[in-house]
Amino acid sequence: MGEQEGIRLQKVLAQAGVASRRTAEILIEQGRVEVDGTVVTEFGMRVDPAVSVIRVDGERIPPTSAHVYLVLNKPRGVVTTMADPQGRPCIADYVQDRPERLFHIGRLDTDTEGLLLLTNHGEFAHRLTHPSYEVSKTYVAEVDGNVKPAVLRSLLDGIELDDGPAQADTVKVISSIRGRTLIQISLHEGRNRIVRRMFDAVGHPVKRLTRTAIGPVRRGNLHTGDLRELDHKELGQLLDLVDL
């Protein structure tokens, strides 16, 4: 990049909504800004925001992009597809006012509710669903029966399914009452109906299942059926997780 090519770093930070240009200069002066792994303390640096990896206080600042990154709290009974020949409710019903051509990242089965990411960025979607990047997903499952500690240990140690072994990263009981147990489980797996099949295998069929997190993206106050854009922090962390 030539001397006058690129955009001044403080302008990039301002355009990203991190701070005003003046405050951005203070952040640079304080050594709180990194570009491609190097701390920057001079104001004149020019960068290509589409290529450079910029961080403030260690947090990735996503580049300004034509791509969109959305999260939907999918309701139970909605099919994870952009069109359904049977006329059932589907994902397209929740993004029909968006001008972009969107597609969903991964799936949730029809009876499962919770977080689903949508984007028009193909490489981002491909990497998020690729097992080599191991992006963790967290679920809350209501299952039949009172789950004993030995069952939790078996989920952590790994169990054998008909298409290979499956293993939880974390699992804990939230509550147990009247023959039902509420369990939080996190795993990197992306196989079809994997959580339901794991609980079937240990003798505790799932009655209700909700995905509450995808990597750093949490459900928070997002109501069922609502859609929002990922914030800068969430997107920056996901870009880091998939090496983009």
Side-chain angles (χ1 to χ4, degrees):
M1 187 168 62
E3 185 178 348
Q4 293 305 313
E5 294 178 2
I7 304 172
R8 287 187 181 274
L9 181 56
Q10 53 264 50
K11 182 177 180 181
V12 172
L13 294 176
Q15 289 175 339
V18 174
S20 67
R21 287 201 201 185
R22 177 58 192 139
T23 302
E25 289 178 352
I26 294 172
L27 294 174
I28 293 169
E29 189 176 37
Q30 292 175 340
R32 296 165 62 185
V33 180
E34 294 178 22
V35 176
D36 297 328
T38 300
V39 175
V40 177
T41 55
E42 297 180 0
F43 300 147
M45 183 176 189
R46 292 177 179 270
V47 298
D48 180 350
V51 175
S52 299
V53 175
I54 302 169
R55 301 180 189 277
V56 175
D57 293 334
E59 291 187 1
R60 175 82 173 268
I61 307 302
T64 302
S65 170
H67 295 128
V68 295
Y69 307 89
L70 307 172
V71 57
L72 170 70
N73 191 355
K74 184 187 89 68
R76 193 178 188 185
V78 172
V79 183
T80 305
T81 179
M82 299 308 288
D84 184 66
Q86 300 178 39
R88 294 172 296 179
C90 65
I91 299 302
D93 298 335
Y94 295 87
V95 294
Q96 57 188 350
D97 295 332
R98 300 285 311 192
E100 307 89 1
R101 183 177 179 274
L102 297 167
F103 46 90
H104 50 84
I105 302 175
R107 305 181 67 84
L108 286 176
D109 65 67
T110 304
D111 290 333
T112 299
E113 58 192 299
L115 298 189
L116 189 68
L117 298 179
L118 300 102
T119 188
N120 59 352
H121 187 176
E123 182 62 19
F124 176 77
H126 169 70
R127 295 195 185 197
L128 264 182
T129 53
H130 198 281
S132 64
Y133 290 100
E134 297 190 338
V135 177
S136 181
K137 301 172 185 66
T138 302
Y139 301 80
V140 171
E142 180 187 329
V143 304
D144 260 348
N146 296 314
V147 179
K148 297 181 179 179
V151 172
L152 301 182
R153 284 195 298 272
S154 68
L155 291 168
L156 290 170
D157 291 340
I159 55 177
E160 194 68 32
L161 302 177
D162 56 6
D163 57 351
Q167 185 177 19
D169 298 325
T170 65
V171 59
K172 68 176 182 180
V173 171
I174 298 173
S175 64
S176 185
I177 188 171
R178 297 174 186 167
R180 296 284 177 94
T181 304
L182 203 61
I183 294 181
Q184 179 179 288
I185 181 170
S186 297
L187 64 164
H188 292 93
E189 284 279 358
R191 282 178 282 169
N192 187 42
R193 298 176 68 86
I194 187 69
V195 175
R196 292 179 184 275
R197 292 194 288 133
M198 288 174 71
F199 279 110
D200 281 344
V202 296
H204 294 279
V206 171
K207 294 302 180 184
R208 193 176 186 99
L209 185 63
T210 303
R211 184 154 71 190
T212 58
I214 302 171
V217 182
R218 302 288 185 265
R219 180 174 55 175
N221 296 322
L222 188 66
H223 297 296
T224 301
D226 283 355
L227 184 77
R228 67 169 175 83
E229 294 189 4
L230 295 183
D231 64 34
H232 281 154
K233 183 175 182 179
E234 292 168 332
L235 179 55
Q237 289 175 331
L238 285 175
L239 290 172
D240 275 348
L241 282 173
V242 298
D243 294 335
L244 280 176

